[in-house]
Amino acid sequence: MSGHHHHHDFAGEKLVDAARDALVDAGEQWTDMRADVFAALAAREKPASAYDIAESVGLDRGKRVAANSVYRILDLFVRTNLARRIESANAYVANSHPGCRHDCIFLICDTCGAVTHIDDDSLTGALRTAAQGSGFAEVRPVVELRGLCSRCGDGDAG
């Protein structure tokens, strides 16, 4: 199994188009509400909770949006690879490459909350193998590393 996984990252309207295509290919509908939720999620630089997204979509629509409706949509997005859930923060990030399925390793800054994701199939593959060796099936590695990003850690040298 190769180490790093390479793919094409999308941004802006190309990301929205790729997400719509991936959702439709999965047999789901791209509704106005789903489009609004994805756009709000994709516009965020940091992970967002369902409440954050509900508030943002509600402001854009001019009416309150229930967080439980947003949770259902975000769960659909995670199942169909349009978004990733940051387990330790109960927050979500848009997947910048929705047509590509793989495990992500998230690097989360303790100071500013920024999230970077890296792909290393050799690491997540080893986790899958170890779990399967212990009798687990349908393993879905969730790897989150916490520390300081390069911006927040720069002043701490010495």
Side-chain angles (χ1 to χ4, degrees):
M1 190 177 280
S2 69
H4 293 283
H5 180 90
H6 298 285
H7 47 74
H8 180 75
D9 286 328
F10 296 99
E13 282 302 311
K14 290 187 184 297
L15 175 57
V16 173
D17 292 344
R20 181 194 62 236
D21 293 347
L23 192 66
V24 170
D25 288 348
E28 299 287 344
Q29 293 183 350
W30 185 256
T31 64
D32 288 342
M33 178 60 105
R34 290 174 180 178
D36 289 349
V37 168
F38 188 82
L41 182 63
R44 302 252 177 181
E45 290 187 19
K46 295 180 183 171
S49 71
Y51 291 95
D52 295 333
I53 298 299
E55 183 178 333
S56 181
V57 172
L59 289 172
D60 288 346
R61 289 181 156 225
K63 63 181 180 179
R64 184 183 168 282
V65 172
N68 63 351
S69 298
V70 172
Y71 266 119
R72 283 193 296 274
I73 292 170
L74 290 170
D75 286 345
L76 171 66
F77 288 172
V78 169
R79 280 195 316 276
T80 55
N81 203 41
L82 305 188
R84 300 285 186 178
R85 185 169 185 266
I86 307 295
E87 303 285 342
S88 63
N90 193 25
Y92 300 82
V93 293
N95 183 358
S96 60
H97 41 88
C100 181
R101 287 202 175 265
H102 61 86
D103 302 316
C104 289
I105 300 169
F106 290 105
L107 309 174
I108 306 163
C109 181
D110 286 329
T111 300
C112 72
V115 172
T116 300
H117 100 266
I118 58 173
D119 306 318
D120 190 326
D121 294 337
S122 63
L123 288 175
T124 55
L127 292 171
R128 283 179 185 281
T129 300
Q132 290 165 347
S134 293
F136 275 76
E138 301 296 323
V139 175
R140 178 183 53 91
V142 177
V143 181
E144 299 178 12
L145 302 173
R146 300 193 73 93
L148 297 178
C149 69
S150 58
R151 282 191 317 262
C152 294
D154 280 345
D156 292 339

